[in-house]
Amino acid sequence: MNYVGYDGLEQRYPFLKSSCLPSLVIFGPPGAGKSHLVKFVAQREQRQSGRRIFYFNSASDSFSELKDNLQQLKKERSKSTLFSREEETIPLVIMDEIHRLNKAQQDFLLGPIEAKEIILLATTTENPAYALRRALISRMQLIELSGHSEESLREVAKIKAAEQKRIISEERLDVLLKYAGGDARFVELALEIDENLSHEVFEKLLQQKARDYDAAGTRHYDVISAFIKSMRGSDPQAAMLYLAVMIDGGEDPVFIARRMIIFAAEDVGNSDPMALSVAMNACLGVEKVGMPEGRILLGQAASYLASTTKSNASYLAINEALAYVKEKSTIRPPSFLRSKEYLYPHDYPHSYVKQRYTEEENLPRFYRPKESGHERFFKSKLEGLGN
């Protein structure tokens, strides 16, 4: 097995040359060579040290089975007398799509990595800074891959063609690279197309393949993620583009609408309370009218959410409050809220009276409204009340 451009990677990431391979997270877009690179590194390491390799796909494999396997490996390693050097018994665990793991599963990996019971070689299409726990990232080295250059894709195509004992003309290769978009996997799949097809038919097939959505696979997650990020970034043009890609690819319209409901609460919040109603109504409407008319409702909701003001203050508030509760013993409301001592706010001017609603000392300010849309009013009001 070889890897095009590996010498350049070693220059950028010197730890790849180390005799003591660290745990790695390799991230980048689909077809950038993440899986190929992790297998290349693992197999090279196996040849040098004899380490065992275990494969785990976060999207399809059972995490409980992985935990059982790691426990068994730990027992075997403690009894092993086959190796003269202890580090040679540390297995390599190749994990695809690590961003699919939940927080508890990611936390579980901290122990085996910290204790050097495994070397984790993981891949993800997401940015680890947002998709993975900070504690996990701190224990691993990061390698970022971008889409392949035309030059490297040309080399990949020639290598794969030679492996398949096929001849690809420069003309056909130029057409292939035109639609590849930096994706080496696309190149490999395109080489499987019947070489006897005419140039025109070959190009039409590539054009269709380049548009394949794969609603059950990686592209499904890539496109919905880009859709959400475009709305978050207030770019309705990009949001419309990705919405069209999903509709064209046969994505479940209710899934799209539900993601917009979550977005409305998480990323728009109280900056524009109407956003949640827009998203909710779009979801109900799509369920009522179906497709293709449902595209109109989705388009209206997506353009609204992308164009309106944004605030994640309420999203942060509930997360911080949950974290606070988990660190405390049982929190009980003060008894006076259930007695005649309770002051009914509507009996006072502006429906407000100063009183405590919790016995917690130095309670954090979970909700911190921003200077955005309607929240500007909330911020001013709460500051005036001392809250």
Side-chain angles (χ1 to χ4, degrees), residues 201-335:
V201 173
F202 179 71
E203 181 163 9
K204 285 183 178 180
L205 286 173
L206 288 185
Q207 188 177 31
Q208 178 60 46
K209 189 175 287 292
R211 288 177 57 235
D212 283 350
Y213 178 66
D214 183 20
T218 301
R219 188 157 157 74
H220 158 86
Y221 294 97
D222 293 337
V223 177
I224 192 66
S225 175
F227 174 61
I228 295 298
K229 289 170 182 173
S230 298
M231 292 193 295
R232 184 180 295 137
S234 298
D235 188 341
Q237 321 314 332
M240 286 295 108
L241 173 66
Y242 292 122
L243 177 59
V245 169
M246 290 188 286
I247 293 173
D248 177 71
E251 181 61 84
D252 179 3
V254 176
F255 166 76
I256 300 173
R258 287 173 178 167
R259 289 303 298 267
M260 286 197 285
I261 291 173
I262 297 169
F263 176 87
E266 178 179 341
D267 290 282
V268 177
N270 290 328
S271 175
D272 180 359
M274 188 66 185
L276 187 56
S277 295
V278 170
M280 287 289 294
N281 286 327
C283 187
L284 291 172
V286 167
E287 290 178 332
K288 290 287 186 183
V289 306
M291 297 295 277
E293 290 81 2
R295 76 188 189 284
I296 305 169
L297 287 72
L298 294 174
Q300 179 190 352
S303 58
Y304 185 100
L305 296 175
S307 303
T308 193
T309 55
K310 309 291 189 300
S311 172
N312 66 345
S314 57
Y315 167 74
L316 294 176
I318 185 58
N319 287 346
E320 291 176 17
L322 282 169
Y324 180 87
V325 168
K326 289 178 180 178
E327 292 177 355
K328 300 289 182 178
S329 56
T330 303
I331 294 177
R332 294 182 174 83
S335 58

Side-chain angles (χ1 to χ4, degrees), residues 49 51 77-78 80 82-91 115-117:
S49 66
R51 298 184 195 278
R77 183 167 173 250
S78 65
S80 176
L82 297 177
F83 299 99
S84 58
R85 293 193 306 159
E86 185 183 56
E87 61 267 23
E88 290 178 339
T89 66
I90 303 174
K116 297 184 178 179
E117 295 169 357

Side-chain angles (χ1 to χ4, degrees), residues 112-384:
I113 294 174
E114 185 84 5
K116 297 184 178 179
E117 295 169 357
I118 63 169
I119 295 175
L120 180 62
L121 306 178
T123 67
T124 175
T125 54
E126 298 291 321
N127 186 330
Y130 301 105
L132 302 182
R133 304 276 279 171
R134 288 184 181 179
L136 184 59
I137 294 174
S138 69
R139 290 163 173 79
M140 305 179 74
Q141 295 287 349
L142 304 183
I143 295 179
E144 181 177 10
L145 299 182
S146 55
H148 287 278
S149 67
E150 184 174 312
E151 179 183 357
S152 65
L153 280 183
R154 189 177 294 273
E155 187 176 351
V156 168
K158 290 180 177 179
I159 291 173
K160 290 299 178 181
E163 289 176 354
Q164 299 172 16
K165 297 181 180 180
R166 301 181 64 172
I167 298 175
I168 182 168
S169 67
E170 288 296 324
E171 180 184 28
R172 183 160 288 200
L173 183 55
D174 287 341
V175 174
L176 194 162
L177 297 178
K178 173 182 176 182
Y179 293 102
D183 189 335
R185 190 181 298 113
F186 179 91
V187 171
E188 293 183 20
L189 292 174
L191 287 172
E192 297 176 3
I193 296 175
D194 187 351
E195 56 188 320
N196 295 316
L197 293 176
S198 68
H199 181 79
E200 291 74 18
V201 173
F202 179 71
E203 181 163 9
K204 285 183 178 180
L205 286 173
L206 288 185
Q207 188 177 31
Q208 178 60 46
K209 189 175 287 292
R211 288 177 57 235
D212 283 350
Y213 178 66
D214 183 20
T218 301
R219 188 157 157 74
H220 158 86
Y221 294 97
D222 293 337
V223 177
I224 192 66
S225 175
F227 174 61
I228 295 298
K229 289 170 182 173
S230 298
M231 292 193 295
R232 184 180 295 137
S234 298
D235 188 341
Q237 321 314 332
M240 286 295 108
L241 173 66
Y242 292 122
L243 177 59
V245 169
M246 290 188 286
I247 293 173
D248 177 71
E251 181 61 84
D252 179 3
V254 176
F255 166 76
I256 300 173
R258 287 173 178 167
R259 289 303 298 267
M260 286 197 285
I261 291 173
I262 297 169
F263 176 87
E266 178 179 341
D267 290 282
V268 177
N270 290 328
S271 175
D272 180 359
M274 188 66 185
L276 187 56
S277 295
V278 170
M280 287 289 294
N281 286 327
C283 187
L284 291 172
V286 167
E287 290 178 332
K288 290 287 186 183
V289 306
M291 297 295 277
E293 290 81 2
R295 76 188 189 284
I296 305 169
L297 287 72
L298 294 174
Q300 179 190 352
S303 58
Y304 185 100
L305 296 175
S307 303
T308 193
T309 55
K310 309 291 189 300
S311 172
N312 66 345
S314 57
Y315 167 74
L316 294 176
I318 185 58
N319 287 346
E320 291 176 17
L322 282 169
Y324 180 87
V325 168
K326 289 178 180 178
E327 292 177 355
K328 300 289 182 178
S329 56
T330 303
I331 294 177
R332 294 182 174 83
S335 58
F336 76 83
L337 289 180
R338 304 188 302 272
S339 70
K340 293 181 180 180
E341 296 178 41
Y342 169 65
L343 305 178
Y344 188 57
H346 295 295
D347 289 340
Y348 296 83
H350 309 294
S351 296
Y352 176 77
V353 59
K354 186 73 173 179
Q355 66 181 329
R356 290 185 63 181
Y357 292 91
T358 173
E359 297 290 2
E360 295 295 303
E361 297 290 340
N362 301 316
L363 189 67
R365 292 183 65 248
F366 301 122
Y367 182 52
R368 300 179 295 278
K370 298 183 178 182
E371 292 283 353
S372 177
H374 288 263
E375 270 198 336
R376 185 183 301 112
F377 167 74
F378 298 157
K379 186 173 187 291
S380 176
K381 177 179 181 296
L382 292 173
E383 286 176 350

